[in-house]
Amino acid sequence: MFEFIRTHRRWMQFILLLLIVPSFLLVGVSSYDSFINREPELADVGKQEVSRAEFDAAHRNQLEQMRQRMGSRFDPMLVDTPAMRRELLDQLIDQRLLAQVAADNRFSVSDGTLRNTIAAIPQVQDNGRFSPERYRQVLAGQGLTPTTFEAGLRRDLAVSRVLQPVTASARLPTSVIDGIESAFVQQRVVQMRTFAAADFRGKVQVSDQDIQAWYDANKQQLEVPEQVQAQYLVLDESAATQGVKVSDADIESYYKQNQSRYGQPERRRVSHILIQVPAGTSEADRKKAREQAEAIAKQAAANPAGFADLARKDSQDAGSAAQGGDLGWVVPASLQQAVASLSKDQVSGVVESPAGFHILKVTDFQAGTVRPLAEVKDQVAAEIRKQMASARFSDMATSLTKLVYDQRDSLQPAADALGVKLRTASGITRNGLLPAAQAGAGAASASPDAQMLDNPRVRQALFSSEVLRDKANSGVIELAPDTMIAVRVQEIKPAHVPALADVKASIHDRLVAERAAKAAREAGEAALKGLRDGPAQATAPEGFGQPVTVSRQDPGQTPRPLLETIMGMPPATEAKPGYAGVAMGNDYTVVRLNSVGAGTAFTADQRAMLASQLGEAWGAAEQEAVIKVLRQQYDVKVLPGAETLMNAPVNEAG
């Protein structure tokens, strides 16, 4: 058979061609192309899809924004959750859905609306007006052309019109607003009695058998997660300044070069009279304003003591005229040159500035002073030391980066070379620092460096495979411009359940607290039942505190669960006061409701704000309802691949 194929090779090529070409015609070339190149789909939205590539791009952008906003506190393990990914996917689906609705219903935006929207963007305005030049600069800085930006904005505006009528028409009836306002300001007078768990602790008995039983049943709660003991080097300003010495000669030289920084320059307190000349004033009006200013200047020069009265009468600077023209010690830059030539109580001629024409008077003068070197010597030395440390820090950072890679299995050579102390801390887990009681001696949580060691980037480095399993040095981690750290795992402690002896005391305290809380609750519930079932009493029984008035508007120090219980109680009557009980942590509080009052009604402004906030909330709820209906109409489906992606580990989802 194979001999036949070799002999009739050209015939076999022709037969294969006949077999392959029809398959392309039946299936379609595009199907082959999409089979090879098509991105996985996460959702079907009508006639379109949301692809994995789109989600990944949006996901990376979202995480980058969070990283920029949170800085060193950014921890993907905490923020990149399944719930966050589902929310992002829902946003992409809704954007695609609304775009289809806008296209299907031919929503459009006029050129005038587009122009007005662009002109209202603050970043493209100059002095409150649209600037074509600034517009082009801003777009160029973002890598956009006016054509592409305007097309995208027109599309976004058209999409926004889908839900705009829903939001615009969202109004709650007046009766609903009245009811919510009434509930918000309603006042209730109550008295309370607290059954504190602490009062029952002395009556609680916990045996060794109780502790053993709890330990056996709750070992999972006691499990200590995998932890590491770490060695680390910190390079910061204190490390860079260590051993830096500043000579007296250096101090004296630096002081002479920077004397102006260690004293008070001379300064003048100034008053002025202003004749304003607005921008665009005609030459004739400008000449008239100058003549007016010159006439006032002659009066002021003739009677300097009457300058303040003249300013109150003639100055057109509303801010200073009432104070006799006083500008204080800070003189505007446009007037500083003119003021510098004046002595105390001297009046200037007419001085022109962008605001108009000024007549100036120096009302007080303080000569410049320089503090002696002996007084500022420590300050000068500290500044020199800081500058020297800054240069040294840069050199040390470069060396540290090289040294931690030169010998990957130890940080000691880097510590010796830089003269930095090698530190050790224990009890560092993937998700945080263990309490000192669990971590033992040298606990990171009890260290002055706890904040650095709990930094997400430091923990991620310690639990990376190379650092954790191979015990190699991490790279240099920059926590701040002047703080760097390098870490290494010294010891790994696997997750484990502590021995009973190590946790016996904590279990005992826990059981005592639980049983005391239970006893307090039972005592409170028994008292509550007796009050509800017993005869009405005109005054509160013994043990209740003084009456207090609370409302949702002014809860005072009342905790939220207790406030909700109070405001949810049915109104009391003279025949039968109302009673309710609520657990507050380990304690139990019994509430007696004495009376209910209408409270103080909202002002017109407060009521308008309430109506606006309720309208916004109602509009948001209606938008969600509309999107839900549109999803049904367009048969939106979240595909199986999306669920896998939502729950993927952090390093696989982005």
Side-chain angles (χ1 to χ4, degrees), residues 116-125 129-130 135 138 149 153:
N116 293 337
T117 302
I118 294 173
I121 300 174
Q123 289 81 356
V124 301
Q125 293 178 349
R129 292 186 176 184
F130 173 73
Y135 176 54
V138 170
F149 173 73
L153 181 58

Side-chain angles (χ1 to χ4, degrees), residues 45-97:
V45 186
K47 301 175 183 178
Q48 300 182 27
E49 301 84 21
V50 176
S51 70
R52 170 67 185 267
E54 291 175 275
F55 177 86
D56 287 346
H59 189 225
R60 285 192 298 270
N61 183 54
Q62 184 182 52
L63 291 179
E64 182 58 32
Q65 289 177 352
M66 288 184 176
R67 182 180 286 106
Q68 292 177 2
R69 187 167 63 249
M70 299 174 68
S72 61
R73 296 180 293 109
F74 176 75
D75 185 353
M77 298 292 292
L78 297 179
V79 300
D80 187 15
T81 61
M84 189 199 79
R85 295 178 203 157
R86 285 192 181 90
E87 183 179 352
L88 177 60
L89 179 60
D90 281 337
Q91 291 174 3
L92 295 175
I93 290 172
D94 291 343
Q95 290 170 6
R96 185 63 50 79
L97 175 64

